[in-house]
């Protein structure tokens, strides 16, 4: 906690496992008086009335009704990233608290990672690296093969900003692009990337060599991909998830991979995160998992912080919030 003349903003902590980055904290202190959860818990009566915003990094601090009741002057919760499934929007609305996120800046990096996962899985990069560096390797087998990406069919489920950026990248690989979305993109947007709309998700699943999930987690997309959907996919197909772990029924995915219903999976997201160390997905050679790093680049995380700062400042000065989530 620093300058009391600046508006007070609640954060989880600085540094540590999930805290605000130390260099980000120094920049934030130019605009706000940062109060950590530890400081708040030690002096709730006084600090609770001073806090006007919550800066939510890595889904921390956790917001519940007890916390909201103790923050009578709270105006906004600024959450990092695009997903808001960790927030109770109805609860926040009842307390008159605005919500913002950072939906656009994460799109480019997340799309890049989606392509990286597709390439790494199809060309078996992790297995290849392990073979290349293993002390037991005496030769490279000529029949060690991957699957081609160029010219293959990519099915994108969720054609929002991230999904569309994936399509832009896939076009350069001369892929046939199918997509399923709540709303069809206009013809100009479709033609720009050569995307074909599938009104029924089943049609996309049956035709795609790679299925990439880029949807928000909502009640409608919770376990969107389960046993039925996996059985519709080609036995040579790969499932790629860059959205949220709960969009896929993980038990059904394990079964499908074990029984060769589909060929492989490449996942930046799981549930929980990280998975228990004895989880079967961690033991499968045809599964590639990364630690939810879709937006994890220095530049993007810095711009996320700047976007959150702008939203907080706007809310505290009664100006339109540039990245507001409409409740």
């Amino acid at each position: 906690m620093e300058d009391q003349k600046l508006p007070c903003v609640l954060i989880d902590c600085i540094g540590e496992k999930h805290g605000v980055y130390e260099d980000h904290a120094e920049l934030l202190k130019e605009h706000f008086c940062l109060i950590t959860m530890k400081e708040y818990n030690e002096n709730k009566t006084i600090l609770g009335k001073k806090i006007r915003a919550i800066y939510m990094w890595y889904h921390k601090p956790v917001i519940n009704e007890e916390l909201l009741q103790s923050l009578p002057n709270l105006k906004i919760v600024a959450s990092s990233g695009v997903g808001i499934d960790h927030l109770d929007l109805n609860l926040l609305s009842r307390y008159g608290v605005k919500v913002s996120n950072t939906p656009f800046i994460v799109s480019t990096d997340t799309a890049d990672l989606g392509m990286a996962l597709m390439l790494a899985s199809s060309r078996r990069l992790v297995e290849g690296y392990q073979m290349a560096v293993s002390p037991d390797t005496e030769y490279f087998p000529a029949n060690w093969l991957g699957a081609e990406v160029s010219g293959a069919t990519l099915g994108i489920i969720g054609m929002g900003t991230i999904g569309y950026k994936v399509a832009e990248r896939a076009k350069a690989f001369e892929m046939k692009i199918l997509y399923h979305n709540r709303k069809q993109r206009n013809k100009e947007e479709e033609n720009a990337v050569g995307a074909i709309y599938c009104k029924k998700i089943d049609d996309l699943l049956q035709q795609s060599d790679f299925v990439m999930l880029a949807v928000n987690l909502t009640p409608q997309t919770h376990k969107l991909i389960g046993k039925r959907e996996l059985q519709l996919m080609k036995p040579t197909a790969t499932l790629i998830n860059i959205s949220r772990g709960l969009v896929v029924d993980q038990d059904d995915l394990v079964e499908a991979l074990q029984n060769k219903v589909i060929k492989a999976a490449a996942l930046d997201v799981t549930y929980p995160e990280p998975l228990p160390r004895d989880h079967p997905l961690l033991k499968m050679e045809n599964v590639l998992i990364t630690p939810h790093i879709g937006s994890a680049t220095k530049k993007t995380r810095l711009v996320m912080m700047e976007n959150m700062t702008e939203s907080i400042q706007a809310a505290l000065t009664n100006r339109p919030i540039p990245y507001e989530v409409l409740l």
Side-chain angles (χ1 to χ4, degrees):
M1 188 168 60
E2 300 289 339
D3 191 348
Q4 288 290 310
K5 294 178 182 179
L6 296 174
C8 292
V9 173
L10 181 65
I11 63 173
D12 188 58
C13 61
I14 297 174
E16 303 181 28
K17 291 181 179 180
H18 300 295
V20 177
Y21 302 152
E22 292 184 5
D23 57 335
H24 286 196
E26 292 305 310
L27 294 171
L28 288 169
K29 288 176 183 178
E30 296 176 7
H31 306 284
F32 311 119
C33 169
L34 300 183
I35 298 173
T36 66
M37 280 298 295
K38 182 176 183 294
E39 291 169 333
Y40 162 75
N41 285 324
E42 291 172 350
N43 198 356
K44 291 184 180 181
T45 304
I46 294 176
L47 294 181
K49 296 177 182 179
K50 294 182 177 181
I51 292 169
R52 302 184 65 199
I54 296 177
Y55 183 94
M56 198 175 204
W57 194 255
Y58 270 90
H59 300 180
K60 304 286 186 180
V62 175
I63 298 173
N64 52 34
E65 188 154 18
E66 180 183 357
L67 179 62
L68 292 175
Q69 287 176 343
S70 68
L71 305 177
N73 296 311
L74 183 67
K75 299 295 183 184
I76 184 172
V77 172
S79 179
S80 61
V82 62
I84 52 172
D85 47 281
H86 55 287
L87 293 170
D88 187 333
L89 299 182
N90 291 327
L91 176 63
L92 289 163
S93 179
R94 290 205 306 270
Y95 280 85
V97 177
K98 302 286 188 180
V99 175
S100 71
N101 62 351
T102 59
F104 304 112
I105 185 59
V106 304
S107 303
T108 296
D109 284 347
T110 305
D112 286 349
L113 185 70
M115 295 300 294
L117 287 171
M118 179 164 58
L119 289 163
S121 177
S122 64
R123 299 304 301 270
R124 302 169 65 186
L125 291 191
V126 174
E127 293 173 77
Y129 168 78
Q130 292 170 341
M131 180 193 302
V133 302
S134 171
D136 300 323
T137 297
E138 297 179 357
Y139 64 93
F140 295 158
N143 63 349
W144 192 88
L145 304 173
E148 56 282 341
V149 169
S150 295
T153 298
L154 170 63
I156 302 171
I157 300 178
M159 196 64 144
T161 307
I162 294 172
Y164 194 80
K165 284 182 178 288
V166 169
E168 290 176 326
R169 287 150 177 74
K171 181 184 178 183
F173 283 82
E174 301 177 343
M175 301 186 80
K176 178 181 179 181
I177 302 167
L178 309 177
Y179 78 98
H180 174 75
N181 201 48
R182 287 179 300 171
K183 296 180 180 179
Q184 184 174 357
R185 289 267 185 168
N186 64 49
K187 290 299 180 182
E188 184 178 353
E189 291 171 329
E190 288 182 339
N191 292 338
V193 294
I196 300 170
Y197 179 62
C198 294
K199 186 174 182 179
K200 295 182 179 179
I201 194 173
D202 292 10
D203 294 337
L204 179 148
L205 294 170
Q206 290 170 333
Q207 298 178 62
S208 299
D209 299 305
F210 301 92
V211 174
M212 191 173 302
L213 304 175
V215 297
N216 290 327
L217 178 59
T218 67
Q220 292 72 37
T221 61
H222 181 265
K223 295 190 177 181
L224 177 67
I225 303 298
K227 184 173 184 177
R228 188 191 77 86
E229 290 74 24
L230 291 163
Q231 288 178 337
L232 288 173
M233 293 172 62
K234 297 178 181 181
T236 55
T238 296
L239 179 69
I240 304 157
N241 191 1
I242 56 172
S243 57
R244 286 290 188 267
L246 281 166
V247 172
V248 177
D249 187 315
Q250 235 164 231
D251 293 336
D252 288 347
L253 177 60
V254 168
E255 183 179 344
L257 290 164
Q258 289 174 335
N259 296 327
K260 299 183 179 180
V261 174
I262 65 172
K263 181 180 180 181
L267 314 170
D268 186 45
V269 288
T270 60
Y271 67 93
E273 293 176 351
L275 288 171
R277 297 298 86 184
D278 60 350
H279 196 281
L281 284 175
L282 301 180
K283 299 175 174 62
M284 296 181 177
E285 290 186 353
N286 56 344
V287 176
L288 172 61
I289 300 178
T290 50
H292 201 155
I293 55 173
S295 67
T297 67
K298 289 183 178 180
K299 180 180 177 180
T300 290
R301 291 289 167 87
L302 178 62
V303 177
M304 286 168 65
M305 180 272 291
E306 293 171 345
N307 289 171
M308 293 165 70
T309 298
E310 291 175 30
S311 291
I312 292 173
Q313 290 175 322
L316 299 187
T317 53
N318 297 314
R319 292 181 286 114
I321 301 169
Y323 308 101
E324 181 175 4
V325 175
L326 298 178
L327 307 179

